[in-house]
Amino acid sequence: MVRQVIQSIKLFVHRNGRFYGLSLSQLGFVPHNKGLYRLALLHKSAAQKTSNGTMLNYERLEFLGDAILGAIVAELLYKFFPNQDEGFLTRLRSKIVSRESLNDLAIHIGLDKAVVAKSDISHNKHVYGDVFEAFVGAIFLDQGFANTKRFIEKFIFPNFFDIKDLVAVDTNYKSQLLEWGQKYKKEVCFQTSPRPSRRNKFWCTITVGGEEKGRSFGTSKKEAEQNTAKVVLDSLVNI
């Protein structure tokens, strides 16, 4: 209780302050150990060597942040969807914490501009998502679990994730199949072509690891891909 009062006073005093592009009101706390956050933004190409030979960069904080973020998102989804099963919750969590999702999130809040690197990282789609996880790890070490959860729940979720969109993800069979391919390191390819003068105007074939696993039709390219992806998902037990 005392800590919360002190934190509220600090936030009021520093209410106009900013931290790596975020206002302190968005963060919900006043950072203490700023060295942790600098480390969270230090790419391995710019790693700093300590006196005992240890190379410091964001990777250890990324490892920690990945676990903390996964736990927080799991708890939030568990509360948001009390009647959904484990498979549904797992798919939504995977979508939220995917590298593509976290990469976009990091760019939106400006962390990409703060990364310290000595090599060209613009071609690496995953760096900024990794940095966001490292940033979460830094918040956890600096502020504890409660403030980390508050940051994710009160700022990140409302501003960057639409619950209705999250629900729609579960019926996006193409997305599910691509995520399955990433998880199990299987190349998933969609080959879609038009069928002139047919009611079902598009034909889609899906291959997994170079082997055809399903075919279906649709009145649009999107529908054909979704229908075929569902066919393949239903047969995953045999892949």
Side-chain angles (χ1 to χ4, degrees), residues 82-125:
N83 299 317
Q84 295 292 349
D85 61 20
E86 180 266 348
F88 176 91
L89 299 175
T90 297
R91 287 191 292 273
L92 293 195
R93 182 180 61 181
S94 296
K95 182 66 175 178
I96 292 171
V97 301
S98 70
R99 280 295 170 269
E100 181 180 0
S101 176
L102 296 184
N103 187 64
D104 290 343
L105 173 57
I107 292 173
H108 271 104
I109 65 178
L111 288 182
D112 59 313
K113 298 179 178 64
V115 177
V116 177
K118 290 185 178 179
S119 63
D120 181 12
I121 60 174
S122 60
H123 64 283
N124 190 331
K125 297 180 179 180

